[in-house]
Amino acid sequence: MAGFSEKEEALIKSSWEDLTKNFPTFSFHFFTLLVELAPPLKDLFPFLKGSSNVPKKNPQLEAQALKVFKLTFDSAIQLREKGEVVIADPTLKQLSSVHVQKGVIDAHFEVVKEALLKTVKEAAGAAKWSDDLNNAWAKAHDAWQL
Ligand code: ISQ
């Protein structure tokens, strides 16, 4: 698996700071995109099921979005340090079993990836966003599939 350059790591770290500065807003943005891209995904999240809009300031929503962003960020750090991503076995087993139980398919990961990359773009703003930043996040995302 392709490792991560120092530059890619620096881009991701700076972007991570931008995201975490205002995570309630970006997690709302992320789920709004997710539901726009694939409305049936709503049914997979208890806090979205049956409601017509994405809730604002919902702690569960923020916690779920943070899991995805943090896992991707941690993957980037691991790619830089070890050249590969190793996810601890209990975490891996637990996440895989939840995903199987809920009927998650590969196409869902693509939608999550697209929403994640768009959210990164939003958080970076026009001044900081670049193809390199986008590709670094895409690479980190592709390094884990649960
Ligand atoms: C996948 N698994 C758990 C939580 C998630 C939150 C947002 C998008 C995808 C997810």
Side-chain angles (χ1 to χ4, degrees):
M1 183 182 296
F4 236 55
S5 70
E6 198 178 326
K7 183 178 170 221
E8 286 172 312
E9 187 189 33
L11 285 169
I12 290 246
K13 281 188 171 167
S14 158
S15 173
W16 177 252
E17 278 176 25
D18 294 335
L19 283 161
T20 50
K21 253 180 231 156
N22 197 353
F23 204 71
T25 298
F26 296 124
S27 58
F28 173 77
H29 188 80
F30 171 69
F31 266 101
T32 303
L33 285 167
L34 209 57
V35 166
E36 266 172 29
L37 290 164
L41 278 183
K42 262 192 194 174
D43 293 340
L44 301 186
F45 300 96
F47 48 88
L48 297 179
K49 213 172 169 170
S51 86
S52 55
N53 39 25
V54 174
K56 278 211 161 127
K57 300 208 180 293
N58 182 302
Q60 282 171 295
L61 178 149
E62 282 173 35
Q64 287 282 36
L66 189 62
K67 273 190 197 176
V68 175
F69 279 88
K70 180 81 166 64
L71 192 59
T72 309
F73 177 69
D74 288 347
S75 297
I77 301 301
Q78 289 199 29
L79 282 175
R80 175 70 188 145
E81 283 174 0
K82 303 191 283 211
E84 63 174 342
V85 176
V86 180
I87 295 164
D89 206 37
T91 309
L92 194 65
K93 285 214 172 86
Q94 196 251 338
L95 284 177
S96 309
S97 82
V98 169
H99 284 162
V100 169
Q101 211 176 56
K102 296 208 175 253
V104 171
I105 54 170
D106 287 353
H108 294 150
F109 284 91
E110 286 308 308
V111 176
V112 168
K113 180 179 174 182
E114 191 176 339
L116 183 140
L117 293 176
K118 285 187 169 159
T119 304
V120 164
K121 186 170 186 175
E122 174 80 16
K128 276 189 158 182
W129 190 85
S130 64
D131 281 339
D132 285 350
L133 175 64
N134 192 68
N135 293 341
W137 276 102
K139 200 159 126 183
H141 177 273
D142 290 346
W144 62 268
Q145 288 269 308
L146 305 165

